[in-house]
Amino acid sequence: MNILESQWVEHGYGKRFQGFQNLMRQRIRDVLLVSSLYDLYLFEEDGRLYELIRNEYQGLHLSHSPEITRVSSAHEALTLLEEEKKFDLVITTLHTEDMHPVKFAQAVREKNGSLPIVLLSFDNRELNNILIRYDTSVFDKIFIWQGDYRLIIGIIKFLEDKLNVEHDTKIAGVQSIIVIEDNIRFYSSFLPIIYTETLNQSKRLISEGINLSHKYLRMRARPKILLCQTFDEAWEYFEKYKEYILGIISDIDFMKSGKQNARAGIEFAKEVKKRVFDIPILLQSTNPENEKEANQVGASFLYKESPILLNELRQFMVQYFSFGDFIFRLEDGTETGRASDLLTLEEQLRVIPEESIKYHAERNHFSNWLKARTEFWLADKLRPRKVTEYESIDELRNYLIYSLQEYRRIRQRGLITDFKKDTYDPKNGFARIGGGSLGGKARGLSFLNILINNYGISDKFEGVRIDVPPAVVLGTDIFDQFLDENNLRDFALKCTDDSEIKKRFLNAKKFPEEAIGDLIAFLDLVNEPLSVRSSSLLEDSQYHPFAGVYETYMIPNNNENPFLRLYELINTIKLVYASTFYKNAKDYIKITTYRLEEEKMAVIIQKMVGSEHGNRFYPDFSGVAKTYNFYPIPPLKPNDGIVLLALGLGKMVVEGGKSVRFCPKYPKHLIQFHSTKEALSTNQQQFYALDLETKQEKNKIIQEEFTKLFDISEAEKDGTLKYAGSTYSPENDRIYDGLSYEGIRLVTFSPVLKHKLFPLAQILDLLLDMGSWGMGTPVEIEFAVNMTPKDSNLKQFAVLQMRPLVISQEIEALKIDDVEKEKVLCKSSGVMGNGIIKNIYDIVYVDYNKFDRGKSKEVAAEVSHFNSKLTENNIPYLLIGVGRWGTMDPWLGIPVTWSQIAGARTIIEAGMKDFYVSPSQGSHFFQNLTSFMIGYFTVNEENENNFLDWNWILEQKCEEEKNYVKHIRLNKPLIIKMNAHNNCGIIVKQQE
Amino acid sequence: MNDNKKNTENSITNCPHCNHKLSSWEQVLLSVDRFLMCRNCWYRITYEDEAEKKETKKTRKERKSGKK
């Protein structure tokens, strides 16, 4: 498969896209040098040969300088070759003490057929002697040492090119330069020059790479040198690689069809020009009279006896092989402009005269220059079209400019680039500001971006664009700089008052200036609402998602005053930084193996997904999808996955609010709507949106107030409920799809799930599969959908986050024995977790009889008190509560944060007196629960498989009690058994 | 209503060896990487081979019905 079919081959993900990473697979890594000590002394001169070569490799940004092993005798060499079998090249001089070099080479050939052997001579006369008397065809090549140690590098590169040319041309269209020279002295002297020039050219390209890996990958695609000695050898190469020949440097007098031919080079040039008219050709000769004929066939000419031959050769390469700047000229040679990279090329194309464009286009100079810079895809795109195909030169000019712009935009897609205002694409870009890590969240997003772009997912569904919203990421170095410049580090680590931390961070006067410049530039390009999210070093790792621990803010970014917009953004970033040190974060980190000092914060500033509806901004719907369903209801299986979906911002889902649950493999199977009673009780009645009218005022920080709750009726007025709504008719006690009936509005998403208004289930099914494949684990994805983006007629499915899920890997299913009911504290068929816990003596429980939904916040505070008390003493406990743990909706359950119950080893969620509460799998709380492998029992209704012995609990003597929550300590530990395979579990009280 | 998926004539939806249905992601992998191991029977599906077979079948059909 040829790279030219796709421009994505530069990025190395997926087998197909190994492109540049797969180039130069065969390398010369170990060289065996067979020479006398004196020969070595001649090589080395001022320094050790190895170091000289190593320095040269480093200077040229080449990796893996070869190891050189020297021996002085042929027998030693043969023994080494036999014993070690690691050498990729043998170089022998004429002074092998115990065997003639030709005999030595023959001996090597016999044992190691394909191992390259090169003869290196110091003296022409000595060499001629050998050439006349012996058959030297056993050597791959013969060279003459002329005092330049770079010849060794030239030899190595020549052989590597020979080994890799076929593969690299096929895979990536790498260019080649054919060099025809049969005079050993000549090619020995200019081969190093040619290589140095091509390698320097490659080095120049490094500065233009999009990011570091891109830069180094391009080094591998440097033009190859195909050194030939005869017409036939050269012609074979030309026939095979004609589309990829960058140029030809040739002698004039050499062998053709077995005979010496004084005009072989002229004939070669003529034949080449017949087939490809615009290949640059340089002919060299010791006879200056050949110049006229060389020019007649369209080739340049160099006089070999010129004292500045090598310099002229270098100049030819720079000019004609398109190394160096693109120089715009008129037909008479007058220079009209210069371009050093794609951006300046685009700029120049706008202003240079038409005649200049015509001159270069007719000769394919643009595509040749691009090829020399390894921009193969673009070069190929521009090449086939003739100037005459355009109605005017202006049309050609516009086409060239458009192609360059499009290419620059496309090749950045899926990559993290360094943020630059003039190259950042505000519709697709994903760029970094500052150094350091990008943090866990940004890593996950960037990885997703690459997968989506490299595997062509973004336009896989008709009428829908799947993407990661454009973003910039402030690297962790900015965080470090901010803390250090404002002396905040020690204070923040020690302070226990969140409001004090917040105040000090907001009042910090210094913010890294370089970052401010880039943020100003970013805000100049993006004036839509932004989400400002934490992306810490430790976040989103498999075992510690830190979900919901740090802050996310959303800001309208719509102030007319650009300084206020910047002020708002910087303050928001400071708030995210501050949240690294809040009590929540400190409590969370205590129960991990990390130290807060190790934590660093990157910040993602991302365009929000959604549309404006009056003074509100929100997506039509959003949610969380998981590859694994912890509570599958048959016939669903855990690996079928689960999605939680809500109208408006995804905050509703991640904070455990009301949402629609469905399986992406069975989107019409909506159990929560099977009964009208449950449908009404679980109905989403409010949605989150960004309030665009809340204006940032100087000195007043109100980031938390930007996101507000609105009634579903507002969504109906905005026209967004139509994608999600159904209607309940009390008269008929029925639920009707759509909004055409009068009645109570329900958020069911039936237009999407049943009537396929949007291919949500198929997209999620695909992305979950893709995510698991990419990460090698089950995953969880946060997403948002905008059905009417303002700048596109395609609906937008935006992926906001992807992180790995922790699934218990136990192989053995634990047997849950039958236990007499009197001994059972709790039994459930809705259990998460696997294994036995035998060391829990303490129970913290919410008194079922005293619990009042209106006081759930006080309950949360009391639970937090007991949690702190027990975790300080490293005492694990069983937590029992009423309603959903961790929901932000106090009417659904108890609004604790993770850190407030982090010491619990097992949690029981008992149903409220008046309604059933299902576990909220989409919330941050739930994520942390699964990652810390906390046992989780849900007991909603009492039957033989679901039971909680409240009477026994209430009879126990309290260690401490508060208004709603009590702590008891048992004399004998509970035995907790959980079976993940059938979701069953039991908690047994040991008798006194 | 449509599934809203783009259809490609040569997309391979089932393993040619065991007829196991390929997931949508597996179909993407196959079309991009040009080969895929069926997770059901471990047969190595090669995109070019299977697409060619489909094309040959289609051409034969068209020829028979006189459409070509």
Side-chain angles (χ1 to χ4, degrees), chain A residues 14-17 454-455 457 459-462 755-757 759 762 765-766 769-770 773, chain B residues 1-7 23-29 31-35 39 48:
Chain A
K15 287 181 178 53
R16 180 193 192 228
F17 298 117
N454 281 7
Y455 284 90
I457 302 292
D459 58 356
K460 188 160 167 59
F461 293 86
E462 206 169 315
H755 304 292
K756 299 187 182 178
L757 187 68
Q762 294 95 315
D765 191 36
L766 176 68
D769 227 355
M770 179 187 84
W773 172 84
Chain B
M1 270 203 195
N2 294 333
D3 265 359
N4 284 342
K5 264 193 211 178
K6 277 188 178 172
N7 282 322
S23 71
S24 44
W25 174 241
E26 283 173 329
Q27 290 177 41
V28 168
L29 274 180
S31 70
V32 166
D33 286 349
R34 295 326 219 210
F35 82 92
R39 279 191 286 186
E48 268 91 11

Side-chain angles (χ1 to χ4, degrees), chain A residues 787-818:
Chain A
M787 299 288 274
T788 51
K790 76 170 181 210
D791 50 2
S792 170
N793 53 3
L794 297 174
K795 299 176 184 109
Q796 182 191 15
F797 180 99
V799 194
L800 305 175
Q801 199 162 338
M802 182 168 79
R803 60 184 150 249
L805 272 186
V806 176
I807 307 292
S808 180
Q809 298 284 0
E810 285 85 354
I811 298 163
E812 300 264 347
L814 197 66
K815 265 179 104 185
I816 307 290
D817 303 321
D818 274 328

